[in-house]
Amino acid sequence: MTAFLVLLLAYTISQFDRGFLAMVAPDLGPDLGLAASDMALLSAGWFLAFAVGQVPTGLLLDRIGPRRTVAGFLVLAALGAGLLGLAQGFAGAAGAMALIGLGCAPALMGGLYLFGRSYPPERFAMLSSLMIGLGTSGDLLGSTPLALASHAFGWRTILFGLALVTLAAAGLILRLIEDPPRLADPAKGSDKSSDRTSVWRGFADVARMRALWPVFPVVFVSYAVVIATRSLWVGSYLGAVHGLDALQRGNGTLAMSAAMAAGAIGYGPLERLVRDPKRTAFAGCLVTGLALSGLGVFGSGSTALAVALLALTGAAGLSYGILMAHARRFFPAHLLGRGVAFMNIVFMGGAAAIQGLSALFVLETGGLGPDALYGRLFLAYGLALLAATAIYAAAPREPAFGSRAPGDPERGTNGATPPPPASAPAAPGRGARA
């Protein structure tokens, strides 16, 4: 329980970090002389650095465990927050945002790695959804409370405070987390060259799993369109299209953030009821795509409808944990760290790409008014997610030879993964059944 709470604190900070820009943008932008397109690039830089950080995250989780991995990266995030508080222009802000994104890279992955190593696969979806749902309280702090705090103390003071809290979280992780026993990698040879090669081969092994290929598009798009809406556009959309003031924008953002937290928590019990992470995630992505499309077509006509559709997007949109639980079924134990990190590269790479592309909707307005501009943006988000969800329909539900990931030894009653006996037969191939 202690490990869960400490890693939850790290993930809550990460959630705050990826969403705070939307609330401080009205003050930060003018102070640094930044345009709306610059803010989109700052946010995209955060997610790009976060995605790049998944490579060392996966390697380090499998090599040294979550304790030193998460704590060490959080120190980088704290440094980035302090530097952003000192920034005087775009270059300084971009470097600081990238450092924050890199530092947050293992915040959730450390918890997912610990769950995967300590609990059977059927409990992974519940625990990951609970972590994601409770961690989304960082989004709640980054809405109305942040808007009020920024107005009272200034955005630079908020960033300095964030740096101190992040350093404290790193210290707690070092003191309170225990790493699970390290697993031997069966791909390793006896020489050091083979040892180094096997570390990188794990990422290639995950990429070659054909069962996951229909999953990659929805992973790339699903989280990206929701977090782009929440962390980048919701505040400016409610202000430009619906004329809401700062506090009203904060309240609208709070509604979406609260729905995201409730939805992420609710996905766990829903998956236990459905007993199928694929069908659960498919339904959530379908609803999210329809909600975003509806926001693009009808959202400008009514503030109440717009906020309701934003809330629905948030509630259904955090299928992240269930999609990860579905993918986790295909990872052998010795690749678990690199497996979840690889999936997170796809999740966050999609977020970076889509937020960067979003800047084009702001730069190339073609004389459109705010209602038409945001309408086409949200419609594009919705249609992209619906297309990816259609591809996801062809994904297999589980490995062909049972719920155990290929090459994953049977688990003991305590959830640990014992090494296979010397006479164990070779692991079955990666065939999969739909």
Side-chain angles (χ1 to χ4, degrees):
M1 186 64 176
T2 300
F4 180 91
L5 292 175
V6 174
L7 290 170
L8 174 62
L9 173 61
Y11 181 57
T12 301
I13 293 171
S14 173
Q15 284 293 105
F16 180 90
D17 286 349
R18 73 189 62 185
F20 75 87
L21 198 60
M23 286 295 100
V24 302
D27 297 320
L28 183 150
D31 283 355
L32 301 185
L34 304 182
S37 58
D38 295 324
M39 302 303 294
L41 294 176
L42 287 182
S43 186
W46 190 100
F47 284 98
L48 180 60
F50 190 102
V52 170
Q54 297 310 307
V55 175
T57 289
L59 296 175
L60 291 171
L61 286 175
D62 282 332
R63 284 300 188 122
I64 67 173
R67 175 175 166 268
R68 286 173 290 170
T69 300
V70 179
F73 273 74
L74 283 180
V75 173
L76 297 179
L79 178 61
L83 290 175
L84 183 58
L86 296 171
Q88 299 298 320
F90 177 80
M97 285 293 289
L99 195 56
I100 296 172
L102 178 64
C104 290
L108 177 60
M109 294 301 98
L112 297 186
Y113 179 87
L114 209 58
F115 301 155
R117 286 292 311 279
S118 304
Y119 297 95
E122 56 270 17
R123 294 192 62 187
F124 185 89
M126 174 65 77
L127 289 168
S128 60
S129 294
L130 189 61
M131 173 73 81
I132 292 168
L134 294 176
T136 306
S137 61
D139 269 331
L140 300 177
L141 293 172
S143 54
T144 301
L146 177 58
L148 295 173
S150 181
H151 179 72
F153 305 109
W155 64 271
R156 294 185 188 273
T157 302
I158 298 298
L159 267 297
F160 295 140
L162 176 62
L164 293 176
V165 172
T166 306
L167 280 177
L172 288 174
I173 288 171
L174 283 175
R175 183 175 180 82
L176 300 175
I177 296 294
E178 292 185 10
D179 292 319
R182 182 179 166 187
L183 290 174
D185 188 337
K188 289 181 182 178
S190 57
D191 58 81
K192 292 184 178 181
S193 175
S194 175
D195 180 77
R196 289 192 297 268
T197 302
S198 69
V199 171
W200 294 98
R201 186 184 298 127
F203 284 105
D205 288 343
V206 175
R208 285 195 299 265
M209 292 180 181
R210 294 195 176 192
L212 294 178
W213 290 0
V215 183
F216 291 149
V218 77
V219 168
F220 187 83
V221 175
S222 61
Y223 180 76
V225 295
V226 176
I227 200 62
T229 301
R230 164 59 187 89
S231 67
L232 191 57
W233 300 121
V234 61
S236 56
Y237 166 71
L238 292 174
V241 176
H242 294 282
L244 304 187
D245 61 27
L247 182 57
Q248 290 171 328
R249 293 196 303 269
N251 290 335
T253 305
L254 179 63
M256 184 178 184
S257 298
M260 290 170 69
I265 293 173
Y267 263 119
L270 180 61
E271 192 277 336
R272 293 291 293 271
L273 179 65
V274 176
R275 296 183 179 276
D276 186 343
K278 180 193 170 181
R279 283 194 293 172
T280 307
F282 180 87
C285 291
L286 181 62
V287 171
T288 306
L290 292 173
L292 282 168
S293 299
L295 182 64
V297 176
F298 305 111
S300 62
S302 165
T303 301
L305 177 61
V307 172
L309 289 171
L310 285 168
L312 181 59
T313 297
L318 280 196
S319 53
Y320 177 106
I322 301 302
L323 285 167
M324 188 72 83
H326 183 200
R328 187 266 172 268
R329 292 186 171 196
F330 301 90
F331 301 146
H334 69 279
L335 289 180
L336 181 59
R338 281 161 285 182
V340 295
F342 186 92
M343 297 306 294
N344 217 28
I345 290 172
V346 182
F347 273 115
M348 299 305 162
I354 285 178
Q355 294 207 27
L357 290 172
S358 296
L360 299 178
F361 282 82
V362 178
L363 289 171
E364 303 295 334
T365 62
L368 296 175
D371 53 348
L373 180 66
Y374 285 103
R376 71 173 187 174
L377 175 66
F378 293 133
L379 180 59
Y381 283 173
L383 293 178
L385 180 53
L386 290 174
T389 303
I391 297 172
Y392 181 53
R397 290 167 46 227
E398 59 185 15
F401 299 99
S403 61
R404 187 161 51 99
D408 202 1
E410 291 289 325
R411 294 177 179 268
T413 55
N414 63 352
T417 308
S423 60
R430 285 194 175 93
R433 64 168 180 250

PDB file of all heavy atoms in Angstrom, residues 334-368:
ATOM      1  N   HIS A 334      10.167 -11.171 -18.656  1.00  0.00           N
ATOM      2  CA  HIS A 334      11.466 -10.508 -18.736  1.00  0.00           C
ATOM      3  C   HIS A 334      11.429  -9.272 -19.638  1.00  0.00           C
ATOM      4  O   HIS A 334      12.369  -8.482 -19.646  1.00  0.00           O
ATOM      5  CB  HIS A 334      12.538 -11.488 -19.243  1.00  0.00           C
ATOM      6  CG  HIS A 334      12.369 -11.882 -20.683  1.00  0.00           C
ATOM      7  ND1 HIS A 334      11.481 -12.851 -21.076  1.00  0.00           N
ATOM      8  CD2 HIS A 334      12.961 -11.419 -21.826  1.00  0.00           C
ATOM      9  CE1 HIS A 334      11.537 -12.995 -22.399  1.00  0.00           C
ATOM     10  NE2 HIS A 334      12.413 -12.133 -22.869  1.00  0.00           N
ATOM     11  N   LEU A 335      10.334  -9.080 -20.397  1.00  0.00           N
ATOM     12  CA  LEU A 335      10.182  -7.902 -21.252  1.00  0.00           C
ATOM     13  C   LEU A 335       9.131  -6.933 -20.713  1.00  0.00           C
ATOM     14  O   LEU A 335       8.744  -6.002 -21.421  1.00  0.00           O
ATOM     15  CB  LEU A 335       9.778  -8.315 -22.674  1.00  0.00           C
ATOM     16  CG  LEU A 335      10.841  -9.001 -23.536  1.00  0.00           C
ATOM     17  CD1 LEU A 335      10.268  -9.333 -24.906  1.00  0.00           C
ATOM     18  CD2 LEU A 335      12.070  -8.133 -23.667  1.00  0.00           C
ATOM     19  N   LEU A 336       8.679  -7.147 -19.496  1.00  0.00           N
ATOM     20  CA  LEU A 336       7.559  -6.339 -19.009  1.00  0.00           C
ATOM     21  C   LEU A 336       7.898  -4.856 -18.979  1.00  0.00           C
ATOM     22  O   LEU A 336       7.113  -4.018 -19.429  1.00  0.00           O
ATOM     23  CB  LEU A 336       7.145  -6.815 -17.612  1.00  0.00           C
ATOM     24  CG  LEU A 336       5.965  -6.077 -16.987  1.00  0.00           C
ATOM     25  CD1 LEU A 336       4.720  -6.200 -17.847  1.00  0.00           C
ATOM     26  CD2 LEU A 336       5.691  -6.596 -15.581  1.00  0.00           C
ATOM     27  N   GLY A 337       9.084  -4.498 -18.448  1.00  0.00           N
ATOM     28  CA  GLY A 337       9.454  -3.091 -18.386  1.00  0.00           C
ATOM     29  C   GLY A 337       9.538  -2.466 -19.760  1.00  0.00           C
ATOM     30  O   GLY A 337       9.002  -1.383 -20.009  1.00  0.00           O
ATOM     31  N   ARG A 338      10.215  -3.142 -20.686  1.00  0.00           N
ATOM     32  CA  ARG A 338      10.335  -2.614 -22.028  1.00  0.00           C
ATOM     33  C   ARG A 338       9.014  -2.671 -22.779  1.00  0.00           C
ATOM     34  O   ARG A 338       8.726  -1.828 -23.630  1.00  0.00           O
ATOM     35  CB  ARG A 338      11.427  -3.371 -22.792  1.00  0.00           C
ATOM     36  CG  ARG A 338      12.830  -2.901 -22.439  1.00  0.00           C
ATOM     37  CD  ARG A 338      13.889  -3.890 -22.817  1.00  0.00           C
ATOM     38  NE  ARG A 338      13.901  -5.029 -21.891  1.00  0.00           N
ATOM     39  CZ  ARG A 338      14.777  -6.031 -21.971  1.00  0.00           C
ATOM     40  NH1 ARG A 338      15.701  -6.037 -22.912  1.00  0.00           N
ATOM     41  NH2 ARG A 338      14.731  -7.010 -21.093  1.00  0.00           N
ATOM     42  N   GLY A 339       8.169  -3.663 -22.437  1.00  0.00           N
ATOM     43  CA  GLY A 339       6.868  -3.754 -23.100  1.00  0.00           C
ATOM     44  C   GLY A 339       5.972  -2.582 -22.773  1.00  0.00           C
ATOM     45  O   GLY A 339       5.422  -1.928 -23.670  1.00  0.00           O
ATOM     46  N   VAL A 340       5.811  -2.286 -21.470  1.00  0.00           N
ATOM     47  CA  VAL A 340       4.946  -1.163 -21.098  1.00  0.00           C
ATOM     48  C   VAL A 340       5.572   0.160 -21.529  1.00  0.00           C
ATOM     49  O   VAL A 340       4.865   1.102 -21.898  1.00  0.00           O
ATOM     50  CB  VAL A 340       4.625  -1.171 -19.584  1.00  0.00           C
ATOM     51  CG1 VAL A 340       3.818  -2.392 -19.214  1.00  0.00           C
ATOM     52  CG2 VAL A 340       5.881  -1.071 -18.730  1.00  0.00           C
ATOM     53  N   ALA A 341       6.920   0.235 -21.513  1.00  0.00           N
ATOM     54  CA  ALA A 341       7.571   1.457 -21.972  1.00  0.00           C
ATOM     55  C   ALA A 341       7.360   1.654 -23.467  1.00  0.00           C
ATOM     56  O   ALA A 341       7.133   2.778 -23.926  1.00  0.00           O
ATOM     57  CB  ALA A 341       9.065   1.419 -21.647  1.00  0.00           C
ATOM     58  N   PHE A 342       7.427   0.578 -24.248  1.00  0.00           N
ATOM     59  CA  PHE A 342       7.202   0.686 -25.684  1.00  0.00           C
ATOM     60  C   PHE A 342       5.794   1.196 -25.967  1.00  0.00           C
ATOM     61  O   PHE A 342       5.596   2.077 -26.816  1.00  0.00           O
ATOM     62  CB  PHE A 342       7.407  -0.670 -26.362  1.00  0.00           C
ATOM     63  CG  PHE A 342       7.325  -0.620 -27.862  1.00  0.00           C
ATOM     64  CD1 PHE A 342       8.469  -0.437 -28.623  1.00  0.00           C
ATOM     65  CD2 PHE A 342       6.110  -0.733 -28.520  1.00  0.00           C
ATOM     66  CE1 PHE A 342       8.401  -0.371 -30.010  1.00  0.00           C
ATOM     67  CE2 PHE A 342       6.018  -0.674 -29.903  1.00  0.00           C
ATOM     68  CZ  PHE A 342       7.175  -0.495 -30.653  1.00  0.00           C
ATOM     69  N   MET A 343       4.814   0.647 -25.254  1.00  0.00           N
ATOM     70  CA  MET A 343       3.443   1.108 -25.454  1.00  0.00           C
ATOM     71  C   MET A 343       3.319   2.581 -25.069  1.00  0.00           C
ATOM     72  O   MET A 343       2.607   3.353 -25.716  1.00  0.00           O
ATOM     73  CB  MET A 343       2.468   0.261 -24.644  1.00  0.00           C
ATOM     74  CG  MET A 343       2.411  -1.200 -25.038  1.00  0.00           C
ATOM     75  SD  MET A 343       2.070  -1.482 -26.791  1.00  0.00           S
ATOM     76  CE  MET A 343       0.392  -0.844 -26.912  1.00  0.00           C
ATOM     77  N   ASN A 344       4.032   2.980 -24.025  1.00  0.00           N
ATOM     78  CA  ASN A 344       3.955   4.379 -23.615  1.00  0.00           C
ATOM     79  C   ASN A 344       4.632   5.295 -24.629  1.00  0.00           C
ATOM     80  O   ASN A 344       4.256   6.456 -24.780  1.00  0.00           O
ATOM     81  CB  ASN A 344       4.592   4.564 -22.238  1.00  0.00           C
ATOM     82  CG  ASN A 344       3.847   5.588 -21.406  1.00  0.00           C
ATOM     83  OD1 ASN A 344       2.653   5.796 -21.578  1.00  0.00           O
ATOM     84  ND2 ASN A 344       4.545   6.234 -20.501  1.00  0.00           N
ATOM     85  N   ILE A 345       5.655   4.777 -25.324  1.00  0.00           N
ATOM     86  CA  ILE A 345       6.251   5.554 -26.414  1.00  0.00           C
ATOM     87  C   ILE A 345       5.197   5.842 -27.471  1.00  0.00           C
ATOM     88  O   ILE A 345       5.092   6.957 -27.990  1.00  0.00           O
ATOM     89  CB  ILE A 345       7.433   4.793 -27.039  1.00  0.00           C
ATOM     90  CG1 ILE A 345       8.606   4.743 -26.066  1.00  0.00           C
ATOM     91  CG2 ILE A 345       7.866   5.445 -28.347  1.00  0.00           C
ATOM     92  CD1 ILE A 345       9.741   3.853 -26.523  1.00  0.00           C
ATOM     93  N   VAL A 346       4.380   4.833 -27.788  1.00  0.00           N
ATOM     94  CA  VAL A 346       3.335   5.020 -28.793  1.00  0.00           C
ATOM     95  C   VAL A 346       2.272   5.988 -28.270  1.00  0.00           C
ATOM     96  O   VAL A 346       1.829   6.897 -28.985  1.00  0.00           O
ATOM     97  CB  VAL A 346       2.705   3.676 -29.191  1.00  0.00           C
ATOM     98  CG1 VAL A 346       1.645   3.869 -30.269  1.00  0.00           C
ATOM     99  CG2 VAL A 346       3.777   2.707 -29.688  1.00  0.00           C
ATOM    100  N   PHE A 347       1.845   5.812 -27.016  1.00  0.00           N
ATOM    101  CA  PHE A 347       0.865   6.725 -26.419  1.00  0.00           C
ATOM    102  C   PHE A 347       1.365   8.171 -26.474  1.00  0.00           C
ATOM    103  O   PHE A 347       0.663   9.070 -26.959  1.00  0.00           O
ATOM    104  CB  PHE A 347       0.611   6.344 -24.953  1.00  0.00           C
ATOM    105  CG  PHE A 347      -0.446   5.310 -24.730  1.00  0.00           C
ATOM    106  CD1 PHE A 347      -0.119   4.072 -24.197  1.00  0.00           C
ATOM    107  CD2 PHE A 347      -1.771   5.568 -25.010  1.00  0.00           C
ATOM    108  CE1 PHE A 347      -1.090   3.117 -23.961  1.00  0.00           C
ATOM    109  CE2 PHE A 347      -2.757   4.619 -24.781  1.00  0.00           C
ATOM    110  CZ  PHE A 347      -2.413   3.382 -24.255  1.00  0.00           C
ATOM    111  N   MET A 348       2.565   8.399 -25.947  1.00  0.00           N
ATOM    112  CA  MET A 348       3.053   9.763 -25.803  1.00  0.00           C
ATOM    113  C   MET A 348       3.621  10.312 -27.114  1.00  0.00           C
ATOM    114  O   MET A 348       3.597  11.520 -27.342  1.00  0.00           O
ATOM    115  CB  MET A 348       4.107   9.831 -24.695  1.00  0.00           C
ATOM    116  CG  MET A 348       3.549   9.428 -23.361  1.00  0.00           C
ATOM    117  SD  MET A 348       2.079  10.425 -22.914  1.00  0.00           S
ATOM    118  CE  MET A 348       1.359   9.397 -21.638  1.00  0.00           C
ATOM    119  N   GLY A 349       4.131   9.423 -27.966  1.00  0.00           N
ATOM    120  CA  GLY A 349       4.514   9.883 -29.299  1.00  0.00           C
ATOM    121  C   GLY A 349       3.318  10.404 -30.061  1.00  0.00           C
ATOM    122  O   GLY A 349       3.393  11.421 -30.760  1.00  0.00           O
ATOM    123  N   GLY A 350       2.189   9.729 -29.906  1.00  0.00           N
ATOM    124  CA  GLY A 350       0.958  10.219 -30.517  1.00  0.00           C
ATOM    125  C   GLY A 350       0.542  11.561 -29.951  1.00  0.00           C
ATOM    126  O   GLY A 350       0.121  12.460 -30.694  1.00  0.00           O
ATOM    127  N   ALA A 351       0.679  11.717 -28.624  1.00  0.00           N
ATOM    128  CA  ALA A 351       0.322  12.997 -28.007  1.00  0.00           C
ATOM    129  C   ALA A 351       1.199  14.121 -28.527  1.00  0.00           C
ATOM    130  O   ALA A 351       0.714  15.221 -28.828  1.00  0.00           O
ATOM    131  CB  ALA A 351       0.442  12.883 -26.484  1.00  0.00           C
ATOM    132  N   ALA A 352       2.502  13.858 -28.644  1.00  0.00           N
ATOM    133  CA  ALA A 352       3.410  14.886 -29.158  1.00  0.00           C
ATOM    134  C   ALA A 352       3.078  15.233 -30.606  1.00  0.00           C
ATOM    135  O   ALA A 352       3.025  16.413 -30.984  1.00  0.00           O
ATOM    136  CB  ALA A 352       4.859  14.409 -29.042  1.00  0.00           C
ATOM    137  N   ALA A 353       2.859  14.207 -31.432  1.00  0.00           N
ATOM    138  CA  ALA A 353       2.584  14.440 -32.851  1.00  0.00           C
ATOM    139  C   ALA A 353       1.285  15.214 -33.043  1.00  0.00           C
ATOM    140  O   ALA A 353       1.222  16.175 -33.821  1.00  0.00           O
ATOM    141  CB  ALA A 353       2.525  13.111 -33.597  1.00  0.00           C
ATOM    142  N   ILE A 354       0.239  14.816 -32.333  1.00  0.00           N
ATOM    143  CA  ILE A 354      -1.057  15.447 -32.534  1.00  0.00           C
ATOM    144  C   ILE A 354      -1.070  16.869 -31.980  1.00  0.00           C
ATOM    145  O   ILE A 354      -1.687  17.769 -32.562  1.00  0.00           O
ATOM    146  CB  ILE A 354      -2.166  14.568 -31.933  1.00  0.00           C
ATOM    147  CG1 ILE A 354      -2.385  13.364 -32.864  1.00  0.00           C
ATOM    148  CG2 ILE A 354      -3.456  15.344 -31.725  1.00  0.00           C
ATOM    149  CD1 ILE A 354      -3.414  12.378 -32.404  1.00  0.00           C
ATOM    150  N   GLN A 355      -0.368  17.110 -30.884  1.00  0.00           N
ATOM    151  CA  GLN A 355      -0.309  18.479 -30.379  1.00  0.00           C
ATOM    152  C   GLN A 355       0.508  19.365 -31.315  1.00  0.00           C
ATOM    153  O   GLN A 355       0.195  20.534 -31.515  1.00  0.00           O
ATOM    154  CB  GLN A 355       0.259  18.494 -28.963  1.00  0.00           C
ATOM    155  CG  GLN A 355      -0.664  17.803 -27.976  1.00  0.00           C
ATOM    156  CD  GLN A 355      -0.515  18.308 -26.565  1.00  0.00           C
ATOM    157  OE1 GLN A 355      -0.124  19.443 -26.338  1.00  0.00           O
ATOM    158  NE2 GLN A 355      -0.844  17.471 -25.609  1.00  0.00           N
ATOM    159  N   GLY A 356       1.580  18.809 -31.890  1.00  0.00           N
ATOM    160  CA  GLY A 356       2.337  19.583 -32.865  1.00  0.00           C
ATOM    161  C   GLY A 356       1.518  19.899 -34.100  1.00  0.00           C
ATOM    162  O   GLY A 356       1.525  21.031 -34.599  1.00  0.00           O
ATOM    163  N   LEU A 357       0.766  18.900 -34.589  1.00  0.00           N
ATOM    164  CA  LEU A 357      -0.092  19.129 -35.750  1.00  0.00           C
ATOM    165  C   LEU A 357      -1.219  20.105 -35.427  1.00  0.00           C
ATOM    166  O   LEU A 357      -1.699  20.828 -36.308  1.00  0.00           O
ATOM    167  CB  LEU A 357      -0.677  17.798 -36.237  1.00  0.00           C
ATOM    168  CG  LEU A 357       0.322  16.825 -36.894  1.00  0.00           C
ATOM    169  CD1 LEU A 357      -0.342  15.483 -37.154  1.00  0.00           C
ATOM    170  CD2 LEU A 357       0.857  17.415 -38.194  1.00  0.00           C
ATOM    171  N   SER A 358      -1.625  20.124 -34.166  1.00  0.00           N
ATOM    172  CA  SER A 358      -2.686  21.053 -33.764  1.00  0.00           C
ATOM    173  C   SER A 358      -2.281  22.498 -34.002  1.00  0.00           C
ATOM    174  O   SER A 358      -3.137  23.359 -34.240  1.00  0.00           O
ATOM    175  CB  SER A 358      -3.034  20.859 -32.279  1.00  0.00           C
ATOM    176  OG  SER A 358      -3.575  19.570 -32.041  1.00  0.00           O
ATOM    177  N   ALA A 359      -0.973  22.763 -33.918  1.00  0.00           N
ATOM    178  CA  ALA A 359      -0.505  24.132 -34.152  1.00  0.00           C
ATOM    179  C   ALA A 359      -0.862  24.607 -35.552  1.00  0.00           C
ATOM    180  O   ALA A 359      -1.092  25.803 -35.777  1.00  0.00           O
ATOM    181  CB  ALA A 359       1.005  24.212 -33.944  1.00  0.00           C
ATOM    182  N   LEU A 360      -0.933  23.670 -36.512  1.00  0.00           N
ATOM    183  CA  LEU A 360      -1.300  24.044 -37.870  1.00  0.00           C
ATOM    184  C   LEU A 360      -2.724  24.580 -37.942  1.00  0.00           C
ATOM    185  O   LEU A 360      -3.040  25.441 -38.764  1.00  0.00           O
ATOM    186  CB  LEU A 360      -1.141  22.838 -38.808  1.00  0.00           C
ATOM    187  CG  LEU A 360       0.277  22.268 -38.930  1.00  0.00           C
ATOM    188  CD1 LEU A 360       0.277  21.055 -39.846  1.00  0.00           C
ATOM    189  CD2 LEU A 360       1.241  23.328 -39.452  1.00  0.00           C
ATOM    190  N   PHE A 361      -3.598  24.057 -37.091  1.00  0.00           N
ATOM    191  CA  PHE A 361      -4.980  24.545 -37.083  1.00  0.00           C
ATOM    192  C   PHE A 361      -5.058  25.975 -36.567  1.00  0.00           C
ATOM    193  O   PHE A 361      -5.974  26.704 -36.899  1.00  0.00           O
ATOM    194  CB  PHE A 361      -5.845  23.630 -36.209  1.00  0.00           C
ATOM    195  CG  PHE A 361      -6.243  22.342 -36.866  1.00  0.00           C
ATOM    196  CD1 PHE A 361      -5.377  21.262 -36.886  1.00  0.00           C
ATOM    197  CD2 PHE A 361      -7.476  22.199 -37.473  1.00  0.00           C
ATOM    198  CE1 PHE A 361      -5.727  20.072 -37.496  1.00  0.00           C
ATOM    199  CE2 PHE A 361      -7.840  21.012 -38.089  1.00  0.00           C
ATOM    200  CZ  PHE A 361      -6.960  19.947 -38.103  1.00  0.00           C
ATOM    201  N   VAL A 362      -4.075  26.353 -35.751  1.00  0.00           N
ATOM    202  CA  VAL A 362      -4.048  27.716 -35.233  1.00  0.00           C
ATOM    203  C   VAL A 362      -3.361  28.660 -36.213  1.00  0.00           C
ATOM    204  O   VAL A 362      -3.787  29.792 -36.439  1.00  0.00           O
ATOM    205  CB  VAL A 362      -3.330  27.747 -33.864  1.00  0.00           C
ATOM    206  CG1 VAL A 362      -3.242  29.178 -33.338  1.00  0.00           C
ATOM    207  CG2 VAL A 362      -4.072  26.869 -32.869  1.00  0.00           C
ATOM    208  N   LEU A 363      -2.271  28.168 -36.855  1.00  0.00           N
ATOM    209  CA  LEU A 363      -1.521  29.016 -37.780  1.00  0.00           C
ATOM    210  C   LEU A 363      -2.265  29.231 -39.089  1.00  0.00           C
ATOM    211  O   LEU A 363      -2.338  30.337 -39.618  1.00  0.00           O
ATOM    212  CB  LEU A 363      -0.152  28.383 -38.048  1.00  0.00           C
ATOM    213  CG  LEU A 363       0.847  28.418 -36.891  1.00  0.00           C
ATOM    214  CD1 LEU A 363       2.067  27.565 -37.228  1.00  0.00           C
ATOM    215  CD2 LEU A 363       1.279  29.850 -36.609  1.00  0.00           C
ATOM    216  N   GLU A 364      -2.818  28.141 -39.644  1.00  0.00           N
ATOM    217  CA  GLU A 364      -3.502  28.211 -40.937  1.00  0.00           C
ATOM    218  C   GLU A 364      -5.008  28.351 -40.724  1.00  0.00           C
ATOM    219  O   GLU A 364      -5.772  27.416 -40.929  1.00  0.00           O
ATOM    220  CB  GLU A 364      -3.182  26.951 -41.753  1.00  0.00           C
ATOM    221  CG  GLU A 364      -1.702  26.725 -41.980  1.00  0.00           C
ATOM    222  CD  GLU A 364      -1.060  27.814 -42.831  1.00  0.00           C
ATOM    223  OE1 GLU A 364      -1.781  28.452 -43.632  1.00  0.00           O
ATOM    224  OE2 GLU A 364       0.148  28.035 -42.702  1.00  0.00           O
ATOM    225  N   THR A 365      -5.428  29.516 -40.288  1.00  0.00           N
ATOM    226  CA  THR A 365      -6.837  29.702 -39.967  1.00  0.00           C
ATOM    227  C   THR A 365      -7.693  29.884 -41.204  1.00  0.00           C
ATOM    228  O   THR A 365      -8.888  29.599 -41.186  1.00  0.00           O
ATOM    229  CB  THR A 365      -7.021  30.922 -39.049  1.00  0.00           C
ATOM    230  OG1 THR A 365      -6.584  32.092 -39.745  1.00  0.00           O
ATOM    231  CG2 THR A 365      -6.195  30.757 -37.774  1.00  0.00           C
ATOM    232  N   GLY A 366      -7.120  30.383 -42.290  1.00  0.00           N
ATOM    233  CA  GLY A 366      -7.903  30.619 -43.506  1.00  0.00           C
ATOM    234  C   GLY A 366      -9.030  31.608 -43.292  1.00  0.00           C
ATOM    235  O   GLY A 366     -10.056  31.547 -43.976  1.00  0.00           O
ATOM    236  N   GLY A 367      -8.861  32.525 -42.337  1.00  0.00           N
ATOM    237  CA  GLY A 367      -9.907  33.506 -42.063  1.00  0.00           C
ATOM    238  C   GLY A 367     -11.079  32.971 -41.276  1.00  0.00           C
ATOM    239  O   GLY A 367     -12.106  33.642 -41.158  1.00  0.00           O
ATOM    240  N   LEU A 368     -10.965  31.771 -40.723  1.00  0.00           N
ATOM    241  CA  LEU A 368     -12.063  31.181 -39.965  1.00  0.00           C
ATOM    242  C   LEU A 368     -12.218  31.866 -38.611  1.00  0.00           C
ATOM    243  O   LEU A 368     -11.244  32.271 -37.983  1.00  0.00           O
ATOM    244  CB  LEU A 368     -11.820  29.684 -39.753  1.00  0.00           C
ATOM    245  CG  LEU A 368     -11.777  28.792 -40.995  1.00  0.00           C
ATOM    246  CD1 LEU A 368     -11.409  27.371 -40.596  1.00  0.00           C
ATOM    247  CD2 LEU A 368     -13.106  28.816 -41.723  1.00  0.00           C
TER     248      LEU A 368
END
